[in-house]
Amino acid sequence: MGDLRLVVVGAGGRMGRALIRVVTETAGVTLAAAIERPGAPSLGQDAGLLSGVGALGVPVTDDVAAAFASADGVLDFTRPEATIAFARAAADAGIVHVIGTTGLSAADDAALAEAAQRAVIVRSGNMSLGVNLLAALVRRVANTLDADFDIEIVEMHHRHKVDAPSGTALLLGEAAAAGRGIYLKDHSERVRDGHTGPRRPGDIGFATLRGGSVVGDHSVIFAGEGERIELTHKAEDRGIFARGAVKAALWARGRAPGLYSMADVLGVKDI
């Protein structure tokens, strides 16, 4: 079996460039194509020069169909509307689709579930090993502690992030809810402002901070009477997400069509 041929979409962005760098550094994978939106300033540039790894002979293109036709998988950290279009194209081409895009709606989730009937999709709000281990620990702690411990999730990202709470915060919230045996959508407190009254028992609270160049900080706080447990992950380099995405693509090769998570890839669902 030869190298896994991967397409990076959103190649001109910060994550796109990080993905290209990691693909070139990882044994068993090769960069098949680099995609950008029509009219993007990076179109026609060499993807390697764009990402700082030297010329690769792979020009950035907007021809999705041609790129997917010659690939085994696609790495996608773009925007919801683009991700849904890529999911349909990847399913048509029968290639693996690794999704790190956040801010997807319920309608988007349904579209991905439909595409996953025909192709392998690995989707996660965070591709890093550390965060997915953290999620497994959060689920275990939430299951162990009773409702006398309030759960709060605090996250901080760079000033350019457009969705809130972050996909990682929601991933951690879902893990906490699963541990408690509840649905996050029914027990989620996203905004507090003004005279809010006392905290509603059983809710999972979210606090969102934005500023500077922070890659991603996440803390899950279990606050009880007289004691507090805090579980924290701090991302210092986007490379951790890119490495996780490439690992997911390698894991997904040859799998049956379906919608998978990084917990499947890392084998931490039962922790």
Side-chain angles (χ1 to χ4, degrees):
M1 187 179 294
D3 283 355
L4 190 70
R5 299 164 298 171
L6 295 176
V7 177
V8 172
V9 295
R14 285 172 295 182
M15 267 308 304
R17 296 194 301 270
L19 287 164
I20 292 168
R21 289 193 293 271
V22 169
V23 168
T24 63
E25 296 164 358
T26 304
V29 299
T30 189
L31 184 68
I35 298 289
E36 259 297 349
R37 69 188 185 282
S42 58
L43 288 175
Q45 295 184 41
D46 186 281
L49 294 176
L50 182 67
S51 58
V53 296
L56 296 174
V58 179
V60 178
T61 178
D62 60 5
D63 191 342
V64 174
F68 284 19
S70 62
D72 301 305
V74 53
L75 308 178
D76 177 5
F77 288 70
T78 56
R79 292 177 179 264
E81 61 275 15
T83 289
I84 299 308
F86 291 137
R88 293 179 177 128
D92 289 342
I95 63 175
V96 170
H97 188 187
V98 178
I99 300 172
T101 304
T102 59
L104 291 118
S105 67
D108 295 332
D109 291 342
L112 292 182
E114 181 180 348
Q117 295 176 21
R118 299 185 290 134
V120 179
I121 296 178
V122 182
R123 176 194 170 191
S124 179
N126 191 299
M127 291 286 172
S128 83
L129 170 62
V131 160
N132 284 279
L133 286 172
L134 174 61
L137 292 170
V138 167
R139 186 169 64 249
R140 172 63 66 87
V141 174
N143 179 257
T144 302
L145 299 176
D146 60 29
D148 288 340
F149 279 79
D150 300 317
I151 303 175
E152 293 285 318
I153 298 171
V154 181
E155 57 105 340
M156 183 169 186
H157 284 82
H158 53 87
R159 62 169 64 96
H160 303 291
K161 188 167 180 60
V162 298
D163 58 309
S166 70
T168 303
L170 294 173
L171 172 75
L172 296 171
E174 292 287 1
R180 284 275 167 91
I182 59 177
Y183 292 108
L184 182 62
K185 64 182 179 63
D186 298 328
H187 297 273
S188 180
E189 181 65 54
R190 304 291 183 87
V191 178
R192 296 186 179 109
D193 185 32
H195 187 75
T196 61
R199 189 185 197 281
R200 193 171 72 175
D203 273 359
I204 297 172
F206 291 84
T208 298
L209 310 178
R210 294 286 179 266
S213 59
V214 177
V215 174
D217 293 352
H218 295 86
S219 292
V220 182
I221 303 166
F222 296 86
E225 291 293 333
E227 61 181 333
R228 188 167 69 246
I229 300 168
E230 298 185 11
L231 303 175
T232 297
H233 179 272
K234 294 181 183 292
E236 299 174 352
D237 177 4
R238 285 181 179 81
I240 64 173
F241 313 128
R243 287 190 289 274
V246 172
K247 182 181 181 73
L250 286 165
W251 175 89
R253 189 179 203 177
R255 303 273 172 182
L259 187 58
Y260 300 92
S261 71
M262 281 302 287
D264 295 306
V265 175
L266 301 172
V268 297
K269 276 196 166 183
D270 298 324
I271 290 179

